[in-house]
Amino acid sequence: MPTVDIHTHIYPPAYISLLKARTTIPYIRTYPTSPTPRLVILPGEDSDSAAHGTPGRPIGPEYWDVNAKLAFMDAHNIGISVLSLANPWLDFLPADEAAAATLTVNDDIEAVCAAHPGRLFAFGALPLSAPAEQIVAEIQRLQTLPHMRGVIIGTTGLGSGLDDPALEPVWEALEATQTLVFLHPHYGLPSEVYGERGGEYGHVLPLALGFPLETTIAVARMVLSGVWDRWRGLKVLLAHSGGTLPFLAGRIESCIAHDGYLKSVGRGVEGRRSVWEILRENVYLDAVVYSPVGLKAAVDASGRDRVLFGTDHPFFPPLDDEEEWLSVKMNSDAIQKAFGEDKESADMVLGGNAIRILRLQEDADK
Ligand code: URA
Ligand code: ZN
């Protein structure tokens, strides 16, 4: 049974050109202090508060070249990868450019997958800054691309978050087509929460804490606004084992149960699906959590049949030149440690679940 990586990103060449032409985040540029071009994508990472070291991260072929992806897969014994466009996707495009650019990127990624049968599948991108009918049209068009197995989105939705009523036609189309949504963070938390010295700590606070909390808050807002009650058939894969959702689900439930305002307006616990139900019926969790403690929480919350191995490649490369990536090893070790002698469960998380849920062993050209 092949190992399947369901959390692995790529910026196709057309997207790289788009970033090179930009001067505000997100962009790619060189600096006098850095011989290789730098990818600057996270909010505020080019500002004075983050000015310790050169902004962003070095970007090389591992971000755009499918051969580098395949070499990484081979080096780590990964049989199949489900590629997704990396953050911030196409969120920043003007409304009138988004649909055409998304179509180009999705077709590029589809072509890359088609060139490597059996090894590559993908989650498509959506033109989220475009009018809802154009987003829905792309959801429907993706159904016709043989290697697409869902869509990747960030937490901002159309600009106002995933509790925005204007997203209803999008949820409707995602549910009707049974499109899996890979929900991935990008925007983090406001930089003030990291304090005056936050800029001295590299990317640790935004990536270790901002990203997972962003995901957790987005899902909690979907809970509070009733998205999961209206669209009971939604299927959502949460990045980074759900942020902190498995750990905080009980607290979210308790806060809802004790909220006098929500009760007074008829939006308390009665008639509402619980976070636990949503975690078991709608949510899938990746296994990108780097420790058996977090992984066991993910399995406890969603079930061993809903947790899926991932790497987050090409992010978190080794700082020196080791061939084996520490970030991959930490996630593989977490699976081995969490399951111990239970090889069947480990195999499910390493690949069996992805093959079943994403239909990866069906002939892509059928
Ligand atoms: N940093 C990012 O910007 N994106 C990821 O997916 C991981 C790390
Ligand atoms: Zn990622």
Side-chain angles (χ1 to χ4, degrees):
M1 209 252 332
T3 295
V4 181
D5 182 359
I6 55 84
H7 189 152
T8 181
H9 302 295
I10 192 156
Y11 292 119
Y15 190 92
I16 294 283
S17 310
L18 203 73
L19 294 189
K20 284 187 173 160
R22 291 175 55 86
T23 52
T24 54
I25 284 182
Y27 59 82
I28 294 173
R29 59 162 282 202
T30 52
Y31 294 84
T33 45
S34 167
T36 26
R38 313 263 310 173
L39 172 70
V40 184
I41 48 174
L42 299 178
E45 73 177 335
D46 61 349
S47 72
D48 286 341
S49 69
H52 297 266
T54 312
R57 59 211 50 70
I59 174 170
E62 65 279 10
Y63 281 83
W64 65 78
D65 183 352
V66 71
N67 293 315
K69 181 72 76 186
L70 292 164
F72 165 82
M73 289 166 62
D74 291 341
H76 294 87
N77 201 23
I78 293 166
I80 304 175
S81 286
V82 185
L83 307 175
S84 49
L85 182 65
N87 50 299
W89 314 284
L90 296 142
D91 289 8
F92 53 88
L93 287 180
D96 59 344
E97 293 173 23
T102 306
L103 189 138
T104 305
V105 165
N106 284 338
D107 285 354
D108 272 12
I109 297 181
E110 170 62 32
V112 161
C113 296
H116 300 280
R119 291 216 77 188
L120 299 178
F121 293 85
F123 297 122
L126 292 179
L128 288 174
S129 55
E133 60 273 17
Q134 293 182 16
I135 305 171
V136 169
E138 188 62 8
I139 293 168
Q140 283 160 352
R141 195 186 75 89
L142 285 169
Q143 300 280 104
T144 67
L145 303 188
H147 296 84
M148 290 291 168
R149 290 297 186 270
V151 293
I152 183 164
I153 67 168
T155 61
T156 46
L158 310 180
S160 304
L162 301 182
D163 52 358
D164 181 357
L167 267 171
E168 293 293 287
V170 176
W171 297 132
E172 183 180 12
L174 291 167
E175 188 189 75
T177 53
Q178 281 295 285
T179 299
L180 181 84
V181 180
F182 181 16
L183 179 60
H184 191 292
H186 168 71
Y187 298 92
L189 298 175
S191 58
E192 303 85 82
V193 304
Y194 305 125
E196 286 171 22
R197 278 171 287 282
E200 297 172 25
Y201 310 139
H203 289 133
V204 173
L205 293 172
L207 289 182
L209 303 176
F211 265 33
L213 282 167
E214 175 190 351
T215 306
T216 311
I217 292 167
V219 176
R221 284 169 57 178
M222 290 169 73
V223 169
L224 291 165
S225 64
V227 170
W228 303 103
D229 298 315
R230 288 191 296 284
W231 306 106
R232 290 170 169 244
L234 277 185
K235 297 197 297 184
V236 181
L237 167 63
L238 299 179
H240 314 127
S241 298
T244 62
L245 199 63
F247 190 77
L248 292 181
R251 188 169 178 86
I252 296 168
E253 282 297 316
S254 169
C255 286
I256 295 173
H258 292 93
D259 196 283
Y261 169 73
L262 286 183
K263 187 174 168 67
S264 74
V265 293
R267 292 194 278 119
V269 279
E270 294 82 20
R272 181 196 287 283
R273 295 176 69 222
S274 76
V275 181
W276 299 115
E277 277 176 86
I278 294 160
L279 277 163
R280 289 205 168 266
E281 293 170 14
N282 302 90
V283 162
Y284 302 92
L285 300 172
D286 74 19
V288 184
V289 70
Y290 309 96
S291 96
V293 175
L295 190 69
K296 283 186 205 163
V299 170
D300 279 354
S302 287
R304 65 172 188 157
D305 53 338
R306 304 178 78 89
V307 177
L308 302 93
F309 175 75
T311 63
D312 225 343
H313 179 264
F315 294 100
F316 306 111
L319 296 181
D320 302 312
D321 281 337
E322 300 92 339
E323 207 194 350
E324 185 182 21
W325 287 35
L326 173 65
S327 51
V328 179
K329 183 171 159 41
M330 288 175 80
N331 281 316
S332 310
D333 286 355
I335 294 171
Q336 306 309 338
K337 286 185 189 143
F339 292 117
E341 295 300 304
D342 178 5
K343 301 280 176 249
E344 184 189 327
S345 297
D347 281 351
M348 286 169 73
V349 171
L350 284 168
N353 290 339
I355 289 170
R356 184 188 77 253
I357 295 161
L358 301 175
R359 299 172 287 107
L360 302 184
Q361 286 184 338
E362 277 177 22
D363 179 1
D365 297 320
K366 253 185 227 157

